[in-house]
């Protein structure tokens, strides 16, 4: 018995129960193997993970509540605008039979869409839908004769931000260069610090790691200063120490273009602002923490900067190694 799941799964009349049945048959623990090797249990799980969105019941309930799906509608969309919106955002046809479900209302079609499309596609659509609807709600609040009270509006905004986090988590790559957050020394505590920051990003909680990110950058830049013999004091702020490092790069012609110099000089003032975020918008103190979207922006900015610095440092090390080799090859 041989089935090609990759072809079968794309049929409009997809039957997920059969997929799960095949998975059960492919499980060697059942003492029988009625499907080909490509459908071994771990492969089926991996395949399903890639083609179906992973959204838990609690998160799904938040999305449905914000978009008002209990009524069968989705936000403020008509059938026409719903179809057009999905098409523009995803390139998919929401009128396709594979999205038909139960009463075939807009809400049910969206539920079916969430069931069968991949994480990235679902996350992208939900993010744009939530953003669209929140803007409509703000517009209605500003023009309504009977605006919502402050508490109701605050709860709605909080739910919106929770839905954004869910949709962005589905899309992955919350921080593009998170792999750059790694220690540049053998310090064990430094390694644990970097690991804890990456774990927070994996859990989609950038706002709770801002204070640790600040500590990481401070340790990272200080290590670079030690490496190159750049003097600094423990009392100096992050942006001040970083400024000395940039002066070192500039003085030694390690940056090729004026644009790179300007970008890094701008980073000095960004790090000065990061000091304020750390002191007044993070868990470094008893503060109200920074909102999710701006936390993501801070993380992407910092990690991108660290990745560039790492590349510059690698180039410096390679250049020094080549010069050292040239001298050793000389014969006298």
């Amino acid at each position: 018995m041989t089935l090609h799941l990759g072809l079968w799964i794309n049929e409009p009349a997809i039957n997920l129960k059969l997929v799960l049945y095949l998975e059960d048959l492919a499980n060697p623990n059942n003492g029988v193997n009625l499907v080909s090797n490509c459908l071994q249990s771990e492969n089926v799980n991996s395949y399903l993970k890639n083609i179906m969105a992973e959204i838990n019941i609690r998160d799904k309930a938040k999305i449905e509540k914000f978009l008002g799906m209990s009524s069968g509608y989705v936000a403020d969309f008509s059938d026409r605008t719903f179809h057009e919106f999905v098409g523009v955002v995803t390139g998919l046809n929401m009128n396709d039979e594979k999205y038909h479900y139960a009463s075939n209302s807009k809400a049910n079609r969206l539920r079916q869409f969430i069931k069968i499309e991949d994480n990235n596609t679902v996350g992208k659509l939900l993010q744009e839908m939530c953003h669209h609807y929140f803007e409509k709600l703000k517009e209605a609040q500003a023009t309504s004769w009977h605006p919502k009270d402050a508490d109701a509006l605050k709860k709605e905004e909080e739910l919106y931000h929770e839905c954004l986090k869910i949709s962005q988590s589905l899309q992955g790559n919350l921080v593009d260069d998170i792999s750059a957050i790694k220690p540049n020394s053998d310090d064990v505590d430094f390694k644990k610090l970097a690991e804890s920051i990456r774990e927070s990003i994996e859990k989609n909680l950038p706002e709770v790691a801002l204070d640790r990110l600040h500590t990481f950058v401070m340790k990272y830049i200080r290590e670079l200063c030690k490496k190159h013999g750049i003097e600094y004091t423990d009392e100096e702020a992050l942006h001040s120490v970083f400024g000395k490092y940039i002066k070192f790069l500039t003085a030694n012609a390690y940056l090729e273009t004026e644009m790179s110099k300007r970008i890094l000089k701008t980073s000095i003032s960004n790090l000065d602002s990061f000091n304020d975020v750390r002191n007044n918008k993070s868990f470094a103190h008893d503060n109200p923490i920074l909102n999710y979207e701006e936390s993501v922006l801070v993380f992407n900015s910092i990690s991108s900067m660290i990745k560039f610095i790492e590349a510059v440092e690698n180039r410096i090390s390679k250049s020094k190694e080549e010069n050292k080799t040239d001298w050793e090859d000389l014969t006298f």
Side-chain angles (χ1 to χ4, degrees), residues 135-268:
E135 291 301 313
K136 289 291 183 181
L137 291 174
K138 288 197 298 183
E139 183 181 321
Q141 178 73 3
T143 58
S144 175
W145 288 97
H146 302 287
K148 297 178 180 178
D149 62 60
D151 287 341
L153 193 64
K154 183 179 179 181
K155 288 180 180 179
E156 211 158 47
E157 185 171 356
E158 288 174 350
L159 182 57
Y160 162 68
H161 287 296
E162 287 184 43
C163 291
L164 274 188
K165 288 177 70 172
I166 294 166
S167 63
Q168 289 170 345
S169 177
L170 285 169
Q171 293 176 77
N173 295 323
L174 182 66
V175 178
D176 292 334
D177 298 314
I178 190 61
S179 60
I181 305 300
K182 56 186 177 185
N184 55 351
S185 75
D186 294 328
D187 186 285
V188 175
D189 290 337
F190 198 4
K191 181 180 179 181
K192 290 180 179 178
L193 174 64
E195 288 175 349
S196 72
I197 293 170
R198 292 196 300 272
E199 285 174 4
S200 291
I201 294 302
E202 289 170 3
K203 294 177 181 178
N204 199 26
L205 295 170
E207 63 271 48
V208 306
L210 289 170
D211 55 330
R212 283 172 283 145
L213 180 63
H214 187 280
T215 302
F216 171 87
V217 178
M218 178 63 89
K219 289 176 71 68
Y220 191 93
I221 300 303
R222 284 178 173 177
E223 285 298 326
L224 293 177
C225 288
K226 291 176 186 177
K227 175 183 176 182
H228 297 297
I230 304 169
E231 294 184 358
Y232 66 89
T233 65
D234 291 342
E235 290 74 30
E236 284 184 272
L238 172 58
H239 69 286
S240 178
V241 179
F242 186 68
K244 290 183 175 182
Y245 173 70
I246 299 306
K247 286 182 179 179
F248 163 79
L249 294 181
T250 303
N252 289 276
Y254 288 131
L255 300 174
E256 294 182 5
T257 67
E258 186 63 29
M259 184 173 183
S260 295
K261 296 173 187 176
R262 289 191 178 189
I263 290 173
L264 288 177
K265 286 179 181 178
T266 300
S267 296
I268 296 173

Side-chain angles (χ1 to χ4, degrees), residues 36 44 96 108 116 127 129 244 314 316 330:
S36 59
V44 172
D96 193 307
N108 277 334
I116 67 177
Q127 178 178 319
M129 276 189 169
K244 290 183 175 182
N314 288 338
I316 293 172
L330 289 176

Side-chain angles (χ1 to χ4, degrees), residues 26 32 72 81 105 112 118 122 139 153 202 221 238 247 284 287 295 300 317 322 330:
V32 62
T81 58
S105 65
Q112 186 69 355
D118 62 87
V122 171
E139 183 181 321
L153 193 64
E202 289 170 3
I221 300 303
L238 172 58
K247 286 182 179 179
N287 298 317
S295 297
N300 275 296
S317 298
E322 288 174 350
L330 289 176

